[in-house]
Amino acid sequence: MTEGTFARWLGTLDVRRAVVIVVVLAAAVYANSLLNGFAYDDLSIIEHNPTIQSWDRLPEAVLAPYWPGPAGPKLALWRPVTTGLFGVQYLIGGGSALPFHLVNVALHAAVSGLLVVLLTRLTTLGIAFVAGLIFAVHPVHTEAVANVVGQAEVMAALAVLAALCVHLGSGPRSGWLRALAVGALYAVGFGAKEGAVTLIGLLFLVDAAQERIAFRDLPSYVARRWRVYFVMLVVAVGMLTARATVLQGAGAPIGPAGSNLLYEVPKIWTLGEVWTHYVRLWTFPLDLSADYTPNVIPVSLGWNAANVTGVLLVLLILLGTWMAWRTTELSLESRSARITAFGVLWFLVTISPVSNTFFLSGVMLAERTLYLPSAGLAAATAWVVVRMSRERPKAVPLLLAVGLLAGSLRTWTRNPAWLNHQTVFNVLARDYPQSGRSQWLLGDNFMNRGQESQGLFAYRAAVNLLDADYDLLMHIARVLMERGSYRSADGVLNVAIMQRPDHPLAYGMRAGVRAELGDAPGAERYARATLALRSTDGIRLHVLAWALGARGAWDEAAEVRARTDDRARVDFWQRWVYDAWVAKRRGDSAAMHRALDSARVKVDNPVGAEVLDSLLVSDFGFEPGSVSVPLASAGAGPLPGGAETPRR
């Protein structure tokens, strides 16, 4: 470009053309993500979640925790808008991943274009356009756009930006119509991802970027804007109340995996290092990761070069922000300098729910959570680029073009990392083998290939790196149970109970393990512990009924069993043994034999088969080895051993 060409070309742009260019570019750099399938959290949230896979059950899913299964309330996430959208896309697309990725790319393109529209109200079109270009191609967004569950981030960002555009269109005073529109978009964003709660702070921020709001001006400001804040407050209270109801009162999610020490040592030591990663990921996003659990970012136990650097960087950035915000003139040209401070403050506001500064969130750092916060960084970066282009009219536009090309190429090459679950694991294990999550996935891989000793070795490494993370222990126990290694699973669950004595999941799984091992007193103990924490656990009611029957407490067993019919649909072998005991007490030989046949069919591991064989001899009077044929086919003669209560 000749001198001034870039500035003159920016001057010829209109908003519509700028938005179209940004939208097309955003869609183009993510086009190859359309080839991706389901990966990582997609499997639990979508592919293996039956509640979103039928129109009849979709309302149930919307009114349930975001994560399916008994662990859902503990994870403290409720995203009804996202869950509903997932269900609609799954049903319309017949379970294919393509519709999800099409929606993700379209939403990202819309967010990129809407960012341009918003920023034109706060600064020059040239800065808004460059910010849109940077946001459209930045590689840090690949996790949010190329992985299906990232749709929560993108949808929330779209709702937030749309709400801000509606708000700014109202002029200096908010009317009821626009206030209600902002409130509706706030509800959509909040229902898509919890981070959208920060819209209240962003709304004040965009107003402050347009006008000087000193402390003495607050009464006048409130008088003009109270309607929109009132509506948003009502929406926030309503969403939080509904959230508490769905999550059974759960508050915040548990802390980042492997970071229990953050409850005991100063968080600043670790957060300082996290802040260096924020800067690195925005300025030089070459190394990207699906996981930042220890040891990708270790929990620091004191000051070191990395966290001191992070703290100093933050202090310098905050100082620069304060100086930029002190701009006294509010003309459009003067306000453009404020956009750097606006961008940093935007980042601070929107990252706050997951920054672990005020409370621990579920992640130490996740690239997907930078999606909305990075809109502010794009605005600040764009001001720097446009400002420098005036002094270096040839070099800076060339550097911008190279930067956009490099970012586009990195995004394009990163998108296939989310092709499927195995690809995510392979890339993560290759790039960050020291990650606790890498060792976790490596253990899964070994177990799936039948290499149990290698799998257990990797699991031990993951347990050490992730500080005996509860979810990891539950996962290992579940894998061991599926392989019939019940005694090993019992030991893992014992550690989990010591880690989280207030959570029912480990107790419930241990009740099942004890039942598989034929330990009725142990099964009863842990089933009761589960029900004390979650009285609606239908599966544990079945286990408790079996355990009570095993020790002859028939009246109590019958009362417990009567409560199971509308609580859970289960079909494990102990349930059929219980039915056989009942049939034996009633003298119904045919029913007893049918129930025992069903129990034999349902036994799916050597340990359970051994226990069942023992029960056939001890409780039902059969001779060892006499039941190799279906029992019902042997006829319904007199009951073996009489009709007494089981002898256990």
Side-chain angles (χ1 to χ4, degrees), residues 522-607:
E524 178 184 351
R525 174 188 173 191
Y526 291 108
R528 288 190 185 280
T530 307
L531 294 166
L533 294 168
R534 182 184 293 140
S535 61
T536 58
D537 191 324
I539 294 178
R540 254 47 69 176
L541 285 170
H542 280 282
V543 173
L544 180 58
W546 173 84
L548 290 168
R551 64 177 182 82
W554 287 104
D555 290 341
E556 189 177 0
E559 187 275 328
V560 171
R561 184 62 186 277
R563 292 157 51 198
T564 65
D565 293 340
D566 59 349
R567 298 289 179 87
R569 298 177 180 178
V570 296
D571 201 19
F572 48 78
W573 68 266
Q574 292 92 340
R575 171 228 172 142
W576 293 105
V577 170
Y578 175 89
D579 289 349
W581 284 335
V582 172
K584 180 181 178 182
R585 293 184 76 233
R586 293 173 177 170
D588 188 344
S589 175
M592 184 196 77
H593 284 77
R594 287 194 299 272
L596 291 175
D597 279 339
S598 296
R600 288 201 310 161
V601 169
K602 295 301 176 184
V603 170
D604 58 359
N605 63 84
V607 175

Side-chain angles (χ1 to χ4, degrees), residues 164 167-168 170 172-176 178-183 186 197-209 211 213 218-237:
L164 292 173
H167 172 70
L168 290 176
S170 65
R173 182 178 298 274
S174 297
W176 280 113
R178 287 186 182 268
L180 290 172
V182 169
Y186 188 35
V197 68
T198 57
L199 175 59
I200 291 181
L202 294 179
L203 190 143
F204 180 80
L205 181 61
V206 296
D207 282 343
E211 56 183 298
I213 304 177
L218 286 178
S220 172
Y221 174 77
V222 171
R224 291 182 284 113
R225 296 296 195 190
W226 70 270
R227 294 173 183 82
V228 69
Y229 284 108
F230 174 77
V231 171
M232 293 176 72
L233 181 62
V234 170
V235 170
V237 170

Side-chain angles (χ1 to χ4, degrees), residues 9-23 116 125 129:
W9 183 75
L10 286 179
T12 65
L13 275 178
D14 58 30
V15 175
R16 180 176 299 180
R17 189 146 60 108
V19 169
V20 169
I21 293 171
V22 168
V23 166
V116 176
L125 176 58
F129 175 61

Side-chain angles (χ1 to χ4, degrees), residues 28 42 45 86 257 279 337 412 555:
D42 298 347
I45 301 297
F86 284 162
V279 175
W412 185 270
D555 290 341

Side-chain angles (χ1 to χ4, degrees), residues 32 139 202 219 303 351 397 419 576 627:
N32 64 335
L202 294 179
W303 291 109
I351 201 67
L419 179 65
W576 293 105
V627 289

Side-chain angles (χ1 to χ4, degrees), residues 38 139 221 271 351 367 420 560 617 630 632:
F38 295 117
Y221 174 77
L271 294 183
I351 201 67
E367 290 167 12
N420 54 48
V560 171
V617 174

